[in-house]
Structure formats: structure tokens, C-alpha cells
Amino acid sequence: MNKKEKFYITTPLYYPSGKWHLGHSYTTVCCDAIARYKRLTGYDVFYLTGTDEHGQKIEERAKAAGLSPKEFVDGLVDNIKQLWKLLDISYDKFIRTTDDYHVKSVQDIFTKLYEQGDIYKATYKGKYCTPCESFWTASQLVDGKCPDCGREVVDAEEESYFFRLSKYKDRLKKLLTETDFLEPKSRVNEMVNNFLTDLSDIAVSRTSVKWGIPVPFDDKHTIYVWIDALTNYINALGYNNGGKDMDFWPADLHMVGKEIVRFHTIIWPAILMALGLDTPKKVYGHGWLLIGGDKMSKSKGNTADPFVLAERYGIDALRYFLLREIPFGSDGTYTDEAFLTRINADLVNDLGNLVKRTVSMAHQYFGGKVKKVESAGEYVELIKGVGEKVDRAMNKYSCSEALEAIFALVSASNKYIDVNAPWALNKAGDTEKLNEVLYNLLEAIRVIGSLLLPFIPDGAKRILAELGLKPPKELDLKPFTTREFNVGEGEVLYKRLDIKKELSELQSLGEVKAEQKEEKKVEEKEGQPNKEITIDEFFETQLLVAEVIACEKVEKADKLLKLTLKVGEQTRTVVSGIAKSYTPEEMVGKQVVLVANLKPAKLRGIVSEGMVLCATDGDKVVLVSPERKVNSGSEVC
Ligand code: MSP
């Protein structure tokens, strides 16, 4: 028996530090489509995903939640596994950096590198952000400040173990510039110019971080990020632990977001070189899913919830949107509207309609049995050529391009129906032509259904079931091989969405969540001893006197008033939760204190540009105003 060729694909290991969002689903769904495509085209696939569970941020979050770090990450790991189940992710292994075999192997790797001189102890000098407890190099600072929180940093020193990264500079340069190791190619220059030219050794341990893997021969130190997180890709295969699956190494594809390309294309290959192992065949740095122009991320709080979207609209809708809407390699934007429009346009109108119309006509005109007939022409050529186009796209790992090719056939098929008008052929009694048209359409749908299996497995299986076919174990794309179709009456595959209604429901879901978040924040704040801030931190808040020049109730929101404020020469709209304590009439003419540099937020569809300060006394809300009238726009300090 011929041994199947192996294919090893990985996602990054995600940080379990908060809620999982659509950005994490993006990488995982892309890898899933690629893994499924490879399995269907005859490869022996190993698809790895997992979680990166150590580090200070996780330790802090756990503390804030009143849990031990392990308890904290356990909950989030259960949650991400549920998400992958919901999205039908076909991973072969899930690795956690807290797994015993991983911890042991990381310690063995660290010891080996130390003993062979690739790791040494020295003093780490850098810029330190005290509130974040993080060291930064000068080049990582943004405008001289901490890139995470934007605050001042100070010079500081710490004893650390270092990895001799600089030793591998020439080999790394070759790997990056003379091979196809990193894609898209546009990211190669950035790596070479920004990071390789000035490559220094990197600190690989910390004494300040406790939640992590201890350096085995010096337990004052915790192994920091790189050697812990990156070596998962070999530890999952049994490295230092029997090597059961090491014949999958080197990885065919590490799929990562563009922000972690540097550590996958510089630090990771250098660690592998030091270990005497092959470097991965490819790292692909994909673009980001943006929301409101910004990267969707936990820390920014601008996320879309994959649980809500998949449960409301089904996994086909979510998987299809992620794989199709974001041009592979570039950034793409999520909006509820773009998402709902995609479902209606592509899945409901184009694909669903094609299948329903064709199957119903086959049932109506031939009792469901349609025999093979020879045919030729442009449409037939299109059906014959689509498999190759998809293959070409998938060899570049471009799911969006593959879906474009499949959906080009879907729309050509709908046009083929319109041009050939089977109902007219039936009326005219041209059974021969009618048979040919319907056979061609059913063959096209068989090819479409088979090709869609990696992308929307559930929908693809339903399409094939409509044709009375089982999903194939391997893709059989040779068209026009089916001798006879035997189809049913035709089911509706996807229900049309009322976009306006859905948009408003999604928006209120978002608002309920935002309100719950606010309440939680207040609860958390109340439960905590007051945190001290510096005077500089206080002055980051811009407080200005504003005058209310108009005020009205916000529809269907009994707590909210919409205020129009005059602030110096400007006017601003602010939505405030004071409707239970003030009427719109009594607000007009009042002077209030406005938090003027608050990021605008949408409340009940109104963009609120700031917040007015109030004292809260039980249920009572009392506005804070200057004791005597002052010019509007005056600063409060
Ligand atoms: N733990 C590290 C990776 C270690 S790999 C050995 C990490 N984790 S993370 O939770 O921050 O996940 C980052 C990855 O999640 C990105 O590289 C990307 O694959 C995915 N994404 C997170 N947000 C994303 C978007 N907004 N858009 C697209 N992908 C996103 O970094």
C-alpha cells in the first residue's frame, strides 16, 4: 500500500486571558478548511491547536477573578473547546502549555540549550513599565512610552537567562530571503530590515513572573514565553517523550496572525537550529479581522461573539463569512451588516436557490431521475475546470480564492438556468434538451457540494444529500461521471434573513452585553480597595464645563436622556443615564462637568461623545455642577 504523504498544520496557541472572539475563530477556521482539504486530497493530516497558558497577565486576571491561575485557565480552555466543537473544527490534537509532557519537554530543551552554550546567564537591561511589570527594548517603545499602556517607562536591570539568537543571524537571513519559508512575501522585507539587521540575544527567563515553567536548575527563574510557547509544535508530536508523531516534523504550515510573525520566523527557527531540527516548511502571516477600523481584540473590547453568531445563524454562515470576506493575507472588516448581507447574497440567493430550483425541477419534470447525457460548451468547460482552480488556490492556502472560484460556478449555474429556461423546454416538449440541462446542473451541484466540504462541511453534506449522494472520503472531481441522479423534492438549505430586523436585534444584544459589562465593572470596583493613581494619571482625564442647550428622552430607554451640550465653541451629543432623576425640561440651561476625552460609544444607536459626572446616592443620581456659573469649556482640575 502506498503510504500517504504527511501534512502538519498548526494554529497559534491562544492565550486564555478573557472571552474568545471572532479573531481567534478566523485562524482556526482557516486551518480547519486547509486540513480538511488536504485530507480530502489524500494526505495524512495532523492538525494541532491549543492554548498558551502561562505568564503574568493570566496570573493577574486569575487574581482579579478570585481564582488560582490553573482554575482560571481551565474554565477558558473548556470554553474554547466548546467553541471549536460548535464550529466543527477537526483538530487532531489540543495541546495546553500546562500539560505535564509539555512542561517536562520545555525543561529538557532549556537544559540542553544551556549545557551546549546556546543559553547563558547575564543581566538584562531595558526599559521597565512598573504598572505592567514588563521590560521593553528601546525599539519596542511607542513614542518613548510603554507600548501596552502608553505610560512612562524607567531604566531597570534584571538577572536573566539569554538565548544566543544573534549566532543564527546568517542562517536566518538565508531562510527568509532564499526560500519560501515566510508568506506572504510582502512580510519578508519587514522581518529582514526591522529585526534581522540588529539582531541581539533575547531574554528567555524572568524572576518577576511566577506563573510559568521553572528553570529546572535555577528555580528563582521562570521560563519566559518563547521556549515555553513555541516548542509546543514539537512537544505535541512527542519530542523528548518517545517521538510517536515526530515523522510529521517539519511542520508544513504554521498559520499565525501578522503580529506574531516575528517570533515564528526569527526566534522559532533559531531555537530549532540550536536543537538540530529542521525548520518548518512555511509560516503564513495572515491579516487581521478588524472591527470599526481597529484590530478585533480582547484588550480593546471591540469583539464580535462567535458563540452568538454561530448559534443564531448557523456554522455555515460564520465559517463562510470568515473564509470568504477576508482576502487571504490582508485585513478584512467585520460588521453585522456585511455578515448578514453575505449570508443572504451568497448562501441564500445564489447557492440555496440554485440547489432548490434544480432539484425541484428534476423532481417535477423527471420524477427525480436524471440520466447522463454527453454535452459540450462553455458551461461544461467551467464545471470541468473548477476543481483545478480550487486546487491552485488551496496550494497557496487561499481559502477566499478557492471560494471565489466555487461561487463563480454557482452564479454561472444560475445564469445557465435563466438562459436555458427549463420550464420553457418542458412546455415545448423538448425532453432531450431538458434532460441535458438538468444533468449538467446536477453535475455542477455535485462538484460544488464536494468542493465545499472543507469550507462549510455541514452545508456541503446537505447539498450532496439533496442529490442522494454521500460525502466522498476523497475528492472525486472528474465531472460527468454520475450515471444517473435520483433526487428528492428539494429542501430549503438556508432561510432568508430580514437584515433590518436582525441588525436591530444584534444591536440590542450588544447593548445588553455592554450594560452588563458596565454593571460588572461597578461591582468589581466596589469590591476592590481603592487603587492609587498618580497625579499624571488623573490628568489624563479631560474634565470640562459644558452647558446643556437641548435635551430629550431616548426612545424605548427609560433611563436615558440625550443631551446636546455646548463646550466652548463646540457642541456635543452625550447620552446619560439620568432620566429617572431629571426631566429633559429641567436639564436645559444647566452647567455640567463633562469627561471630554472619553472614546465615543454608541448607545441605542446614538453616538455618545463623552460622559457627564454625577454623584450617586442609592438610587438617586445628582449632577455635578460648578458652584457658580463659569464660561462653558472651562477646565475642571
Ligand atoms: N499565545 C500567543 C501565540 C503563541 S503561538 C506559540 C498569542 N495568543 S493570542 O491569543 O493573542 O492569539 C493570537 C492569534 O489569534 C493571532 O496570531 C491570530 O492568529 C488570532 N487572532 C486574534 N485576534 C485576531 C484578529 N482580530 N484577526 C485575526 N486573527 C486574530 O499571540
Side-chain angles (χ1 to χ4, degrees):
M1 207 180 83
N2 262 351
K3 251 187 123 189
K4 283 184 170 184
E5 205 177 314
K6 297 202 177 289
F7 186 82
Y8 180 29
I9 178 169
T10 68
T11 70
L13 294 201
Y14 303 108
Y15 284 128
S17 57
K19 255 175 80 74
W20 303 110
H21 59 75
L22 212 52
H24 305 110
S25 307
Y26 175 64
T27 318
T28 310
V29 168
C30 279
C31 288
D32 188 61
I34 297 167
R36 284 174 184 270
Y37 185 78
K38 288 289 176 187
R39 287 190 198 108
L40 278 167
T41 47
Y43 286 79
D44 181 10
V45 172
F46 194 104
Y47 173 14
L48 177 75
T49 189
T51 39
D52 179 5
E53 304 183 8
H54 294 125
Q56 191 167 351
K57 283 218 172 102
I58 290 176
E59 196 176 351
E60 281 165 7
R61 295 268 162 93
K63 202 167 161 199
L67 297 170
S68 72
K70 185 65 170 50
E71 284 166 337
F72 178 74
V73 294
D74 279 352
L76 285 158
V77 170
D78 280 350
N79 202 236
I80 203 173
K81 285 185 173 170
Q82 279 169 27
L83 179 60
W84 298 156
K85 196 161 174 215
L86 181 68
L87 298 182
D88 205 0
I89 304 299
S90 62
Y91 60 80
D92 295 289
K93 187 166 181 135
F94 190 104
I95 185 170
R96 302 180 57 174
T97 54
T98 50
D99 285 335
D100 289 347
Y101 68 90
H102 174 79
V103 171
K104 182 182 166 296
S105 180
V106 167
Q107 290 187 320
D108 289 353
I109 290 170
F110 201 95
T111 308
K112 177 181 158 66
L113 295 179
Y114 180 69
E115 284 172 356
Q116 73 187 34
D118 272 299
I119 285 180
Y120 60 94
K121 201 173 183 178
T123 301
Y124 182 77
K125 290 196 181 93
K127 304 283 174 190
Y128 190 69
C129 173
T130 315
C132 294
E133 293 182 47
S134 294
F135 270 100
W136 302 104
T137 59
S139 63
Q140 286 172 319
L141 301 179
V142 176
D143 299 331
K145 304 219 166 103
C146 170
D148 262 6
C149 70
R151 284 178 274 214
E152 295 294 338
V153 289
V154 291
D155 288 316
E157 293 187 359
E158 184 185 295
E159 185 188 71
S160 213
Y161 284 92
F162 281 78
F163 173 63
R164 239 177 255 288
L165 183 61
S166 55
K167 176 174 151 190
Y168 297 95
K169 183 173 165 175
D170 294 340
R171 282 175 73 187
L172 288 169
K173 189 161 183 194
K174 269 195 160 163
L175 180 68
L176 279 160
T177 55
E178 294 174 22
T179 72
D180 291 330
F181 171 64
L182 170 59
E183 294 223 22
K185 283 270 179 274
S186 54
R187 307 213 193 278
V188 172
N189 275 350
E190 188 196 339
M191 287 305 120
V192 174
N193 298 339
N194 295 358
F195 301 111
L196 264 192
T197 34
D198 198 11
L199 195 64
S200 36
D201 296 348
I202 48 163
V204 287
S205 77
R206 289 283 192 273
T207 47
S208 53
V209 180
K210 289 287 160 261
W211 173 237
I213 302 176
V215 170
F217 45 86
D218 188 348
D219 61 12
K220 240 179 44 211
H221 288 260
T222 302
I223 297 175
Y224 176 71
V225 181
W226 324 115
I227 292 179
D228 177 359
L230 288 162
T231 60
N232 90 83
Y233 299 129
I234 48 176
N235 295 335
L237 301 178
Y239 186 68
N240 282 332
N241 186 26
K244 180 171 137 306
D245 292 308
M246 277 305 281
D247 47 355
F248 277 96
W249 192 258
D252 292 270
L253 178 62
H254 289 316
M255 180 76 83
V256 300
K258 62 183 176 184
E259 79 290 355
I260 53 173
V261 163
R262 181 179 71 95
F263 67 86
H264 280 81
T265 59
I266 294 182
I267 301 174
W268 178 222
I271 294 174
L272 287 163
M273 287 168 189
L275 291 174
L277 291 173
D278 286 339
T279 50
K281 291 185 202 154
K282 191 169 303 295
V283 173
Y284 197 103
H286 67 64
W288 286 336
L289 194 57
L290 309 175
I291 199 162
D294 244 343
K295 180 181 181 233
M296 190 181 284
S297 81
K298 281 179 279 211
S299 55
K300 294 200 184 97
N302 60 348
T303 59
D305 189 337
F307 284 101
V308 171
L309 296 177
E311 270 156 15
R312 261 181 102 83
Y313 304 108
I315 51 167
D316 283 355
L318 195 56
R319 288 180 64 115
Y320 180 74
F321 175 84
L322 291 173
L323 295 169
R324 177 73 199 269
E325 186 81 10
I326 299 135
F328 199 54
S330 318
D331 292 344
T333 297
Y334 173 85
T335 63
D336 290 340
E337 193 164 4
F339 173 64
L340 298 167
T341 307
R342 265 278 176 216
I343 306 177
N344 263 3
D346 295 10
L347 296 186
V348 182
N349 280 0
D350 287 356
L351 182 62
N353 249 343
L354 169 69
V355 177
K356 170 83 181 134
R357 289 209 283 176
T358 308
V359 172
S360 305
M361 287 190 288
H363 187 78
Q364 190 186 341
Y365 303 142
F366 292 107
K369 287 192 196 310
V370 180
K371 283 201 173 46
K372 176 174 173 167
V373 273
E374 292 303 329
S375 185
E378 214 178 302
Y379 180 56
V380 167
E381 290 310 308
L382 197 66
I383 302 172
K384 284 185 182 162
V386 66
E388 215 181 291
K389 284 186 201 150
V390 170
D391 200 51
R392 233 178 292 135
M394 290 309 279
N395 284 336
K396 295 187 283 179
Y397 305 124
S398 176
C399 297
S400 57
E401 220 177 297
L403 282 171
E404 245 171 68
I406 301 171
F407 274 76
L409 179 58
V410 172
S411 50
S413 301
N414 278 317
K415 273 202 199 100
Y416 184 73
I417 298 183
D418 297 341
V419 170
N420 287 287
W423 47 91
L425 295 172
N426 180 54
K427 211 166 168 193
D430 190 349
T431 318
E432 211 175 303
K433 181 72 184 165
L434 181 61
N435 188 147
E436 182 189 330
V437 169
L438 287 179
Y439 179 80
N440 285 347
L441 284 166
L442 288 168
E443 246 330 272
I445 294 173
R446 183 182 69 80
V447 169
I448 290 166
S450 308
L451 283 173
L452 283 175
L453 279 166
F455 309 99
I456 46 169
D458 186 54
K461 281 182 208 148
R462 288 191 294 134
I463 292 171
L464 293 171
E466 285 290 291
L467 306 187
L469 302 172
K470 287 216 166 70
K473 289 236 153 22
E474 286 202 10
L475 273 186
D476 165 23
L477 293 177
K478 247 181 64 244
F480 309 105
T481 48
T482 318
R483 297 243 286 276
E484 184 184 68
F485 284 101
N486 192 356
V487 306
E489 288 177 37
E491 302 281 328
V492 173
L493 284 176
Y494 301 103
K495 279 210 203 93
R496 173 175 306 285
L497 299 171
D498 176 342
I499 294 194
K500 233 169 140 189
K501 180 172 152 262
E502 294 302 326
L503 277 176
S504 111
E505 282 179 19
L506 281 177
Q507 194 184 339
S508 23
L509 273 177
E511 277 167 11
V512 170
K513 269 197 338 218
E515 274 164 27
Q516 284 168 349
K517 223 162 143 190
E518 280 308 310
E519 277 164 20
K520 196 160 163 249
K521 260 199 221 148
V522 173
E523 276 166 25
E524 275 169 8
K525 227 175 160 184
E526 282 171 352
Q528 260 179 27
N530 282 340
K531 182 175 170 264
E532 285 179 355
I533 58 166
T534 62
I535 189 80
D536 289 342
E537 284 167 339
F538 172 74
F539 280 123
E540 280 174 18
T541 315
Q542 190 189 18
L543 299 175
L544 299 178
V545 174
E547 190 163 326
V548 183
I549 53 175
C551 181
E552 59 186 86
K553 285 197 160 223
V554 175
E555 252 183 72
K556 289 190 215 148
D558 52 357
K559 282 197 205 150
L560 301 181
L561 289 184
K562 179 181 159 194
L563 312 175
T564 308
L565 302 177
K566 181 167 176 289
V567 195
E569 294 310 308
Q570 285 180 13
T571 48
R572 294 246 192 145
T573 302
V574 168
V575 177
S576 178
I578 52 174
K580 293 245 157 114
S581 307
Y582 294 90
T583 62
E585 297 72 36
E586 68 184 304
M587 285 302 296
V588 177
K590 275 196 193 308
Q591 285 204 320
V592 291
V593 176
L594 170 74
V595 182
N597 58 343
L598 200 65
K599 211 170 173 183
K602 222 175 189 182
L603 286 165
R604 302 276 154 170
I606 305 166
V607 178
S608 179
E609 304 160 300
M611 179 174 90
V612 295
L613 293 188
C614 295
T616 50
D617 180 8
D619 283 349
K620 250 195 327 198
V621 177
V622 181
L623 284 165
V624 173
S625 301
E627 191 253 333
R628 252 169 284 160
K629 222 167 178 145
V630 292
N631 283 331
S632 91
S634 301
E635 249 186 271
V636 179
C637 52

